[in-house]
Amino acid sequence: MKTAKILIGTVVLSTALASCGQSQSGQSQSRQAQTEQTDRFSFVENPGSQCIDVLLDGQPYTSYCYTDSLKKPVLFPLRTKGGHFVTRGWPVQPRANERTDHPHHIGLWFNYGDVNGLDFWNNSPAIPAEKRSGYGSIHHAAVNKTESNGNTGVLDVTKYWLGPQGDSLLKEDTRYVFQVDEEGSTSIELDIKLTALKDVSLKDNKEGVLGIRLARELEHPSDQPAKFTDANGIVTEVAQSNNDGVTGHYISSEGIEGDDVWGTRGKWVTLNGTIEGEDVSLVILDHEGNPGYPTYWHARGYGLFAANPLGQKELSGGKDVLNFKLDKDASTRFRYKVLIHAGSKLDTATINDRFAEFNGQQ
């Protein structure tokens, strides 16, 4: 029954987001051709599929997808500047040899596993109806601004964190800053303001807060049994994983590597790998102003790359406790920067420079 529920959820998501991230339509291409554009990023709204496509030099880069079936807005998919996917396609746009666990892991997202006792992190169409009262969802409310200026594009949006009865717990105002950096690298900065609409408790929980679900190539090699898709999205269970082309390796700012990064603190983590012969570094930078800094890392070799500053008791084995709270009308701010570097692997000195630059911003 569990497999059937996941498959139903996959159909729902695939149908709802059939065009998400596929902005190579005649309309978007013709718009690009009509204008000699010096601004690198552009935005194309698709109200029917409930997404905003983000184009880089007229080509798909990512999409802000907010259909209700996702249970939260996401950026999906993430690509290198050259077009290689760094995020998993399943369950939205399945590709061959992808894992089929955790249907709530889609692209890049921000939410949490315990907000006034509600689980926002694990919500998906796979949750059975009789259990949905324990889950919350995040609903897109408005696009406040899109802006393009040279190598930078900005998408400013408002969302609401809702309980199962539609009651609002939090207002979220998020500013996504897309940028082309030196050497053909790109980055995505997230500036998130959460405002409590009632007293809110975010009890320590390992499920949070900024997550990326990785492409198969960026996972750690594993010999464990798992379920994978074929080129048509059909799921098959295998006794031992095929590690051909699986090259991921975590390294933290504290020099910790591999699976040992999980449950440790650090100001950044980089994930190095190779996709179709191209070296890739995917980096999440923490910010000194964030609650719970420096963050704990919820980074798993099977493909979850997450920064979680709020789940300190769970991730430290009880050594640290936070149990973060917001009184009604109070606000807090989270800032992260995701670097997508292709063509080489970033070294520690370079990442430290980028971290210092990010933290030096106002």
Side-chain angles (χ1 to χ4, degrees), residues 7 17 28 65 70 82 97 112 127 137 156 163 165 188 233 243 264 288 306 316 355:
L7 288 175
L17 294 176
S28 62
C65 306
L70 288 172
N97 197 32
Y112 195 57
I127 301 299
S137 57
D156 190 295
Q165 304 303 319
I188 304 171
N243 290 311
T264 65
E288 294 171 350
S316 71
F355 173 82

Side-chain angles (χ1 to χ4, degrees), residues 6 88 90-91 100-106 121-122 213 302:
I6 291 176
R88 179 178 71 172
W90 190 89
T100 59
D101 56 82
H102 301 85
H104 50 280
H105 290 175
I106 298 173
W121 181 272
N122 289 290
R213 184 56 197 249
Y302 68 76

Side-chain angles (χ1 to χ4, degrees), residues 113-164:
D114 190 333
V115 183
N116 284 4
L118 295 172
D119 185 351
F120 284 76
W121 181 272
N122 289 290
N123 202 357
S124 81
I127 301 299
E130 65 272 17
K131 294 185 177 180
R132 290 176 190 167
S133 62
Y135 293 82
S137 57
I138 303 176
H139 288 243
H140 167 80
V143 176
N144 303 316
K145 181 175 70 172
T146 59
E147 180 179 83
S148 299
N149 184 13
N151 287 329
T152 302
V154 175
L155 172 64
D156 190 295
V157 297
T158 295
K159 319 168 192 178
Y160 286 91
W161 295 44
L162 305 180

Side-chain angles (χ1 to χ4, degrees), residues 47-248:
S49 56
Q50 295 184 296
C51 68
I52 299 171
D53 294 328
V54 184
L55 309 181
L56 172 57
D57 297 331
Q59 299 301 313
Y61 178 63
T62 189
S63 292
Y64 171 77
C65 306
Y66 55 90
T67 179
D68 287 346
S69 60
L70 288 172
K71 308 303 182 183
K72 77 270 187 181
V74 302
L75 292 183
F76 174 88
L78 300 186
R79 297 172 172 89
T80 66
K81 187 174 181 299
H84 287 135
F85 294 109
V86 298
T87 49
R88 179 178 71 172
W90 190 89
V92 178
Q93 295 168 358
R95 302 191 297 271
N97 197 32
E98 291 188 317
R99 292 181 185 267
T100 59
D101 56 82
H102 301 85
H104 50 280
H105 290 175
I106 298 173
L108 167 68
W109 71 96
F110 179 89
N111 64 5
Y112 195 57
D114 190 333
V115 183
N116 284 4
L118 295 172
D119 185 351
F120 284 76
W121 181 272
N122 289 290
N123 202 357
S124 81
I127 301 299
E130 65 272 17
K131 294 185 177 180
R132 290 176 190 167
S133 62
Y135 293 82
S137 57
I138 303 176
H139 288 243
H140 167 80
V143 176
N144 303 316
K145 181 175 70 172
T146 59
E147 180 179 83
S148 299
N149 184 13
N151 287 329
T152 302
V154 175
L155 172 64
D156 190 295
V157 297
T158 295
K159 319 168 192 178
Y160 286 91
W161 295 44
L162 305 180
Q165 304 303 319
D167 53 313
S168 296
L169 283 71
L170 293 162
K171 179 187 178 188
E172 176 188 334
D173 294 297
T174 294
R175 186 172 185 262
Y176 299 97
V177 180
F178 307 96
Q179 191 159 1
V180 177
D181 302 314
E182 295 180 0
E183 301 176 3
S185 299
T186 61
S187 62
I188 304 171
E189 182 178 334
L190 298 93
D191 191 340
I192 301 161
K193 180 183 177 183
L194 292 180
T195 302
L197 303 178
K198 58 178 68 177
D199 291 349
V200 172
S201 170
L202 293 92
K203 186 178 178 181
D204 284 28
N205 189 288
K206 73 179 178 66
E207 310 286 31
V209 292
L210 183 78
I212 301 174
R213 184 56 197 249
L214 304 166
R216 177 75 175 127
E217 294 91 336
L218 297 180
E219 295 176 15
H220 284 192
S222 170
D223 59 3
Q224 299 300 309
K227 294 179 180 179
F228 293 91
T229 59
D230 65 13
N232 297 312
I234 305 301
V235 178
T236 301
E237 187 166 2
V238 299
Q240 184 171 337
S241 303
N242 178 359
N243 290 311
D244 291 346
V246 180
T247 60

